[in-house]
PDB file of all heavy atoms in Angstrom:
ATOM      1  N   ASP A 102      23.947  92.269-116.745  1.00 96.00           N
ATOM      2  CA  ASP A 102      24.358  90.871-116.663  1.00 96.00           C
ATOM      3  C   ASP A 102      23.633  90.033-117.711  1.00 96.00           C
ATOM      4  O   ASP A 102      24.238  89.133-118.323  1.00 96.00           O
ATOM      5  CB  ASP A 102      24.089  90.312-115.261  1.00 96.00           C
ATOM      6  CG  ASP A 102      25.038  90.878-114.207  1.00 96.00           C
ATOM      7  OD1 ASP A 102      26.193  91.189-114.564  1.00 96.00           O
ATOM      8  OD2 ASP A 102      24.623  91.003-113.044  1.00 96.00           O
ATOM      9  N   LEU A 103      22.368  90.310-117.917  1.00 95.00           N
ATOM     10  CA  LEU A 103      21.618  89.591-118.948  1.00 95.00           C
ATOM     11  C   LEU A 103      22.160  89.928-120.329  1.00 95.00           C
ATOM     12  O   LEU A 103      22.284  89.049-121.195  1.00 95.00           O
ATOM     13  CB  LEU A 103      20.127  89.931-118.867  1.00 95.00           C
ATOM     14  CG  LEU A 103      19.230  89.307-119.944  1.00 95.00           C
ATOM     15  CD1 LEU A 103      19.351  87.787-119.945  1.00 95.00           C
ATOM     16  CD2 LEU A 103      17.775  89.740-119.747  1.00 95.00           C
ATOM     17  N   VAL A 104      22.485  91.203-120.561  1.00 96.00           N
ATOM     18  CA  VAL A 104      23.080  91.594-121.848  1.00 96.00           C
ATOM     19  C   VAL A 104      24.378  90.821-122.072  1.00 96.00           C
ATOM     20  O   VAL A 104      24.635  90.312-123.172  1.00 96.00           O
ATOM     21  CB  VAL A 104      23.338  93.113-121.897  1.00 96.00           C
ATOM     22  CG1 VAL A 104      24.054  93.481-123.198  1.00 96.00           C
ATOM     23  CG2 VAL A 104      22.028  93.884-121.787  1.00 96.00           C
ATOM     24  N   ALA A 105      25.191  90.714-121.029  1.00 98.00           N
ATOM     25  CA  ALA A 105      26.446  89.968-121.144  1.00 98.00           C
ATOM     26  C   ALA A 105      26.179  88.505-121.489  1.00 98.00           C
ATOM     27  O   ALA A 105      26.859  87.921-122.345  1.00 98.00           O
ATOM     28  CB  ALA A 105      27.246  90.078-119.852  1.00 98.00           C
ATOM     29  N   ASP A 106      25.180  87.910-120.839  1.00 97.00           N
ATOM     30  CA  ASP A 106      24.838  86.515-121.140  1.00 97.00           C
ATOM     31  C   ASP A 106      24.395  86.371-122.595  1.00 97.00           C
ATOM     32  O   ASP A 106      24.762  85.400-123.274  1.00 97.00           O
ATOM     33  CB  ASP A 106      23.714  86.038-120.220  1.00 97.00           C
ATOM     34  CG  ASP A 106      24.162  85.852-118.774  1.00 97.00           C
ATOM     35  OD1 ASP A 106      25.392  85.779-118.539  1.00 97.00           O
ATOM     36  OD2 ASP A 106      23.292  85.791-117.888  1.00 97.00           O
ATOM     37  N   CYS A 107      23.603  87.328-123.071  1.00 97.00           N
ATOM     38  CA  CYS A 107      23.125  87.292-124.462  1.00 97.00           C
ATOM     39  C   CYS A 107      24.293  87.395-125.439  1.00 97.00           C
ATOM     40  O   CYS A 107      24.398  86.623-126.403  1.00 97.00           O
ATOM     41  CB  CYS A 107      22.125  88.413-124.710  1.00 97.00           C
ATOM     42  SG  CYS A 107      20.538  88.217-123.846  1.00 97.00           S
ATOM     43  N   LEU A 108      25.172  88.364-125.206  1.00 98.00           N
ATOM     44  CA  LEU A 108      26.314  88.560-126.108  1.00 98.00           C
ATOM     45  C   LEU A 108      27.237  87.352-126.099  1.00 98.00           C
ATOM     46  O   LEU A 108      27.722  86.913-127.150  1.00 98.00           O
ATOM     47  CB  LEU A 108      27.078  89.819-125.711  1.00 98.00           C
ATOM     48  CG  LEU A 108      26.375  91.148-125.976  1.00 98.00           C
ATOM     49  CD1 LEU A 108      27.169  92.301-125.357  1.00 98.00           C
ATOM     50  CD2 LEU A 108      26.179  91.391-127.466  1.00 98.00           C
ATOM     51  N   ASN A 109      27.473  86.792-124.931  1.00 98.00           N
ATOM     52  CA  ASN A 109      28.359  85.636-124.844  1.00 98.00           C
ATOM     53  C   ASN A 109      27.769  84.426-125.553  1.00 98.00           C
ATOM     54  O   ASN A 109      28.489  83.687-126.240  1.00 98.00           O
ATOM     55  CB  ASN A 109      28.651  85.297-123.383  1.00 98.00           C
ATOM     56  CG  ASN A 109      29.638  86.263-122.748  1.00 98.00           C
ATOM     57  OD1 ASN A 109      30.532  86.779-123.422  1.00 98.00           O
ATOM     58  ND2 ASN A 109      29.486  86.528-121.460  1.00 98.00           N
ATOM     59  N   ALA A 110      26.466  84.228-125.416  1.00 98.00           N
ATOM     60  CA  ALA A 110      25.823  83.110-126.098  1.00 98.00           C
ATOM     61  C   ALA A 110      25.915  83.274-127.613  1.00 98.00           C
ATOM     62  O   ALA A 110      26.181  82.317-128.348  1.00 98.00           O
ATOM     63  CB  ALA A 110      24.361  83.008-125.661  1.00 98.00           C
ATOM     64  N   MET A 111      25.712  84.507-128.078  1.00 98.00           N
ATOM     65  CA  MET A 111      25.810  84.778-129.516  1.00 98.00           C
ATOM     66  C   MET A 111      27.235  84.581-130.012  1.00 98.00           C
ATOM     67  O   MET A 111      27.480  83.975-131.057  1.00 98.00           O
ATOM     68  CB  MET A 111      25.325  86.206-129.798  1.00 98.00           C
ATOM     69  CG  MET A 111      23.832  86.414-129.498  1.00 98.00           C
ATOM     70  SD  MET A 111      23.379  88.170-129.344  1.00 98.00           S
ATOM     71  CE  MET A 111      23.505  88.699-131.059  1.00 98.00           C
ATOM     72  N   GLN A 112      28.195  85.090-129.244  1.00 98.00           N
ATOM     73  CA  GLN A 112      29.595  84.976-129.659  1.00 98.00           C
ATOM     74  C   GLN A 112      30.073  83.529-129.661  1.00 98.00           C
ATOM     75  O   GLN A 112      30.896  83.137-130.495  1.00 98.00           O
ATOM     76  CB  GLN A 112      30.462  85.843-128.748  1.00 98.00           C
ATOM     77  CG  GLN A 112      30.275  87.328-129.025  1.00 98.00           C
ATOM     78  CD  GLN A 112      30.884  88.218-127.967  1.00 98.00           C
ATOM     79  OE1 GLN A 112      30.871  87.895-126.788  1.00 98.00           O
ATOM     80  NE2 GLN A 112      31.410  89.360-128.377  1.00 98.00           N
ATOM     81  N   ASP A 113      29.568  82.726-128.734  1.00 98.00           N
ATOM     82  CA  ASP A 113      29.938  81.317-128.701  1.00 98.00           C
ATOM     83  C   ASP A 113      29.381  80.559-129.904  1.00 98.00           C
ATOM     84  O   ASP A 113      29.922  79.512-130.287  1.00 98.00           O
ATOM     85  CB  ASP A 113      29.418  80.660-127.421  1.00 98.00           C
ATOM     86  CG  ASP A 113      30.186  81.102-126.186  1.00 98.00           C
ATOM     87  OD1 ASP A 113      31.290  81.669-126.338  1.00 98.00           O
ATOM     88  OD2 ASP A 113      29.679  80.887-125.066  1.00 98.00           O
ATOM     89  N   ALA A 114      28.303  81.104-130.513  1.00 98.00           N
ATOM     90  CA  ALA A 114      27.622  80.393-131.590  1.00 98.00           C
ATOM     91  C   ALA A 114      28.168  80.710-132.973  1.00 98.00           C
ATOM     92  O   ALA A 114      27.928  79.948-133.917  1.00 98.00           O
ATOM     93  CB  ALA A 114      26.119  80.708-131.548  1.00 98.00           C
TER      94      ALA A 114
END
Side-chain angles (χ1 to χ4, degrees):
D102 289 329
L103 177 57
V104 176
D106 289 343
C107 291
L108 290 172
N109 285 328
M111 295 163 72
Q112 288 168 324
D113 288 344

